[in-house]
């Protein structure tokens, strides 16, 4: 096979939302960028609808989705225990967006800034020289001719999702980025179906005191960390279903939960669209850059662990990376990339460490604990909205007093929730001491401190 050689300032691997935005942001700052995708470019990244947040787009300096990419926004959401008991009703801050259209928008923006997109790129192999990633080879078709493409660049960006194809090959990151255990992964599915029986859909909504166009979210149906969210459209013609549980096999899988739900709710008809996959649920790796390499998105575990949302944080990461390297003589220099990592950890690390503590808490209490939590009124409007908005809850003193009273009446839950909340608060405070300059020893101490407070990610 013929070999073609390309030099650019940056090579981004993975044309999902995180990679497409990283490529766009780097190119906007004057870098020549090559974007590699294993699938057809139009099929890069998530291909279903996801809940996203306008503030995260604004933080990433991107326009929030508009129709048709913006499917719906701020739906009324009813939170329900696994036993069907109603918990709390909130107006959700999330926007439902079409990921296929978002990915297309970002890849078009990247192309408009001169990013060269090479898709259907297979068998990527990275070359490390003197501890730095400097080039990679891939099999791909360029100008209609299949061959080996050799790409050299001072900066490589791994946006290949949770598999982290470059992350795995870099000697520096191997020990910082262990393979995730299955109980640190969420198996999820998000599908739209036709409503086969409007009467059945109406009965479902009445059962949960919900209206068409609202979302019924059941928590704890398959272990403490699990959800089944059902949204029947306003005209009763379609239903959206999002399900997820831990991927360690104890509770089945996302597709299995979906199958079970459909066999219970027989009014759900034929599939219209959707997809399934596995989401990393740990806080971001302590180190996600190395000489010549930066990770963004799921590859870095830049996901809100309490519910496995990674779109917004992955977008923010790409923009932060571009900000950090702007104006640098060597854009892949270890110190330059460390600045990106430190910026991300200092701004979002605290939130994500505490969200990781809550993810562990929800797993620990199990389905019965989730039922008890709902029954005790411990899921309040403000805490639920903060969680959906991926922000730290900030209850008023009145709410705190009310929660304390409810905890006194639920001593079993209090024994788990109080230490868990203390761990979350202490863990979040550690983000501000994240080392600002390259210092592996200081980072080891920092990481061990987080492990001690929140619990280790053993890999
Ligand atoms: C069912 C489901 C529902 C979800 N719901 C939500 C939600 O509501 N809100 C939310 O924020 N998040 C949600 N998530 C999580 C979200 O989808 C991910 O966090 C997000 O897609 C990660 O983006 P990414 O660009 O980092 O990775 P990906 O979307 O995984 O994209 C990685 C890209 O890299 C490509 N690639 C992989 N290996 C190679 C290689 N060797 N060479 C070249 N290219 C390669 C892949 O083909 C892919 O296109 C959900 C996930 C699932 C599975």
């Amino acid at each position: 096979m013929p070999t073609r050689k390309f030099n650019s300032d940056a090579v981004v691997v993975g044309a999902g939302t995180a990679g497409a935005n990283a490529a766009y942001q780097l190119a906007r700052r004057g870098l020549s960028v090559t974007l590699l995708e294993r699938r057809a470019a139009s099929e890069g990244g998530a291909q279903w609808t996801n809940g996203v947040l306008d503030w995260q787009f604004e933080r990433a300096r991107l326009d929030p989705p508009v129709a048709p990419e913006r499917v719906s926004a701020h739906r009324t959401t009813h939170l329900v225990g696994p036993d069907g008991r109603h918990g709390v009703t909130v107006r959700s801050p999330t926007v439902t967006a079409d990921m296929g259209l978002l990915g297309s928008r970002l890849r078009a923006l990247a192309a408009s800034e001169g990013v060269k997109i090479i898709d259907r790129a297979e068998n990527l192999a990275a070359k490390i020289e003197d501890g730095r990633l400097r080039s990679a080879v891939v099999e791909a078709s360029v100008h209609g001719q299949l061959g080996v493409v050799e790409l050299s660049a001072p900066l490589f960006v791994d946006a290949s999702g949770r598999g982290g194809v470059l992350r795995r090959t870099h000697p520096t990151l191997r020990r910082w980025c262990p393979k995730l255990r299955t109980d640190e992964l969420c198996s999820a599915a998000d599908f739209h179906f036709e409503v086969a029986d409007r009467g059945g859909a109406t009965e479902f909504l009445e059962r949960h005191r919900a209206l068409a166009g609202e979302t019924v979210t059941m928590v704890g149906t398959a272990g403490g960390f699990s959800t089944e969210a059902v949204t029947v459209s306003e005209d009763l013609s379609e239903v959206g279903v999002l399900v997820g549980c831990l991927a360690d096999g104890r509770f089945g899988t996302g597709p299995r939960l979906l199958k079970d739900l459909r066999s219970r709710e027989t009014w759900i008809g034929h599939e219209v669209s959707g997809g399934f996959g596995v989401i990393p649920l740990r806080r971001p790796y302590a180190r996600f850059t190395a000489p010549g390499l930066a990770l963004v998105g799921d590859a870095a575990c830049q996901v809100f662990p309490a519910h496995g949302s990674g779109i917004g944080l992955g977008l923010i990461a790409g923009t932060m990376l571009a900000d950090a390297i702007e104006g640098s003589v060597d854009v892949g220099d270890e110190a330059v990339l460390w600045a990106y990592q430190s910026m991300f950890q200092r701004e979002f690390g605290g939130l994500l460490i505490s969200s990781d503590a809550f993810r562990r808490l929800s797993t620990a209490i199990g389905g019965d604990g989730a039922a008890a939590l709902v029954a005790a009124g411990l899921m309040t409007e403000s805490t639920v909205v903060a969680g959906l908005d991926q922000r730290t809850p900030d209850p008023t003193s009145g709410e705190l007093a009310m929660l304390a009273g409810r905890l006194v009446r639920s001593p079993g839950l209090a024994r788990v929730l109080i230490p868990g909340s203390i761990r979350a608060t202490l863990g979040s405070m550690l983000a501000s001491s994240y080392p600002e300059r390259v210092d592996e020893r200081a980072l080891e101490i920092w990481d061990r401190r987080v492990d001690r407070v929140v619990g280790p990610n053993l890999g």
Side-chain angles (χ1 to χ4, degrees):
M1 274 202 275
T3 300
R4 299 177 65 116
K5 293 192 180 195
F6 288 107
N7 289 317
S8 42
D9 297 323
V11 172
V12 179
V13 176
T17 48
N21 181 52
Y24 166 56
Q25 300 289 347
L26 292 167
R28 271 182 84 185
R29 286 158 182 80
L31 271 68
S32 59
V33 181
T34 306
L35 177 59
L36 280 185
E37 171 54 48
R38 190 172 54 183
R39 306 180 203 156
S42 59
E43 291 164 13
Q47 296 293 326
W48 46 89
T49 59
N50 271 350
V52 296
L53 297 164
D54 283 344
W55 75 260
Q56 293 188 327
F57 279 77
E58 283 153 14
R59 176 62 189 83
R61 294 204 290 286
L62 289 166
D63 293 333
V66 292
E69 187 184 308
R70 191 183 190 88
V71 177
S72 66
H74 313 312
R75 286 192 188 274
T76 296
T77 299
H78 305 273
L79 211 91
V80 176
D83 47 5
R85 188 181 181 130
H86 180 264
V88 66
T89 295
V90 302
R91 194 169 156 75
S92 173
T94 56
V95 167
T96 303
D98 182 318
M99 291 298 106
L101 294 180
L102 171 62
S104 298
R105 166 159 69 113
L106 295 170
R107 286 183 293 270
L109 283 170
S112 73
E113 292 291 338
V115 171
K116 180 178 180 53
I117 302 178
I118 302 179
D119 65 355
R120 300 182 202 276
E122 288 177 14
N123 299 325
L124 179 83
K127 280 193 189 163
I128 313 274
E129 289 165 45
D130 303 326
R132 177 164 174 171
L133 179 53
R134 292 187 188 273
S135 61
V137 288
V138 75
E139 286 167 24
S141 173
V142 179
H143 304 311
Q145 198 185 12
L146 185 67
V148 174
V149 181
E150 188 175 324
L151 300 140
S152 302
L155 171 63
F156 281 76
V157 179
D158 189 345
S160 65
R162 76 184 170 90
V165 64
L166 295 178
R167 182 190 73 207
R168 290 199 306 260
T169 65
H170 203 296
T172 308
L173 290 188
R174 244 179 253 136
R175 87 188 170 92
W176 286 101
C177 304
K179 190 165 182 270
L180 299 191
R181 292 191 322 247
T182 51
D183 63 350
E184 296 170 324
L185 296 169
C186 170
S187 173
D190 190 310
F191 279 85
H192 280 76
F193 301 96
E194 287 170 6
V195 168
D197 164 17
R198 288 176 180 225
T202 306
E203 188 279 321
F204 171 85
L205 292 170
E206 283 169 0
R207 203 188 318 149
H208 294 293
R209 286 181 276 154
L211 300 173
E214 298 179 345
T215 300
V216 176
T217 300
M218 276 163 276
V219 292
T221 47
F225 180 95
S226 63
T227 190
E228 293 184 5
V230 178
T231 309
V232 179
S233 65
E234 279 84 352
D235 64 359
L236 294 178
S237 66
E238 260 191 39
V239 54
V241 183
L242 166 68
V243 293
C245 65
L246 288 188
D248 60 3
R250 283 186 295 156
F251 311 105
T253 60
R256 177 80 223 177
L257 291 187
L258 195 60
K259 195 165 173 239
D260 292 348
L261 179 76
R262 291 181 74 189
S263 59
R264 288 198 311 273
E265 307 293 347
T266 50
W267 52 272
I268 300 179
H270 291 299
E271 179 188 318
V272 178
S273 61
F276 56 88
V278 174
I279 314 167
L281 287 180
R282 60 155 285 167
R283 57 184 180 269
Y285 291 123
R287 181 165 189 175
F288 49 81
T289 63
L293 176 63
L295 316 183
V296 295
D298 279 13
C301 298
Q302 288 161 329
V303 173
F304 191 74
H307 47 70
S309 293
I311 296 294
L313 290 163
L315 296 177
I316 292 170
T319 301
M320 262 190 188
L321 169 64
D323 286 344
I325 59 111
E326 191 166 16
S328 304
V329 177
D330 178 359
V331 292
D333 178 67
E334 185 175 20
V336 170
L337 298 180
W338 190 289
Y340 148 62
Q341 176 180 281
S342 167
M343 221 187 263
F344 187 90
Q345 292 280 18
R346 283 172 169 253
E347 188 170 338
F348 292 103
L351 173 74
L352 300 179
I353 289 168
S354 68
S355 174
D356 194 356
F358 279 111
R359 186 261 306 178
R360 288 155 188 268
L361 194 85
S362 65
T363 302
I365 62 174
D368 291 346
L373 206 65
V374 170
L378 287 164
M379 283 189 164
T380 63
E381 191 176 337
S382 76
T383 53
V384 170
V385 170
L388 292 170
D389 203 25
Q390 298 178 43
R391 291 191 191 271
T392 305
D394 186 18
T396 60
S397 50
E399 275 175 304
L400 278 176
M402 179 188 75
L403 285 171
R406 291 177 183 175
L407 271 177
V408 168
R409 289 192 292 278
S410 310
L413 277 178
R415 271 195 291 281
V416 188
L417 292 184
I418 292 172
S421 303
I422 293 171
R423 271 198 292 278
T425 308
L426 292 177
S428 71
M429 286 158 66
L430 290 173
S432 60
S433 60
Y434 187 89
E436 279 184 286
R437 297 190 209 310
V438 181
D439 188 340
E440 280 230 320
R441 180 80 197 110
L443 188 57
E444 270 165 21
I445 294 169
W446 182 85
D447 195 31
R448 269 205 300 274
R449 233 174 245 157
V450 180
D451 278 358
R452 269 203 300 276
V453 175
V454 181
N457 288 106
L458 299 171

